[in-house]
Amino acid sequence: MPLVDIHLIDGVFDGEQKQQMIKDVTDAIVAIEGEVMRGVTWVRVLEVEGGHWAIGGQPLAAADIHAMQKQAA
């Protein structure tokens, strides 16, 4: 049975967005493995406290991600 972990910085995504991620990841597994896998596909959303996640040695918080999202828009 597939187990997929999605790691996120706490406070970046709301509950609806996280539910959409779970649905979309489950659908992707099912598209590859077949519908029989839907009932045994586990998807977990694990949130990491801001400042406890870093890229290139630079800690990130939710505010940093929101700023990146605004720049990309």
Side-chain angles (χ1 to χ4, degrees):
M1 76 183 81
L3 168 61
V4 179
D5 287 338
I6 302 171
H7 296 258
L8 304 171
I9 295 173
D10 188 34
V12 174
F13 298 97
D14 65 28
E16 185 176 316
Q17 291 170 315
K18 289 182 270 188
Q19 289 299 310
Q20 188 65 49
M21 287 179 207
I22 291 167
K23 179 189 177 307
D24 291 349
V25 168
T26 301
D27 288 346
I29 296 293
V30 169
I32 295 165
E33 296 291 329
E35 189 62 40
V36 69
M37 297 304 286
R38 186 174 300 279
V40 296
T41 297
W42 295 41
V43 179
R44 302 185 303 179
V45 174
L46 307 168
E47 294 184 290
V48 177
E49 183 180 343
H52 293 178
W53 183 308
I55 298 175
Q58 299 298 312
L60 294 173
D64 300 313
I65 302 305
H66 291 301
M68 287 184 218
Q69 290 169 329
K70 286 181 184 177
Q71 287 179 347

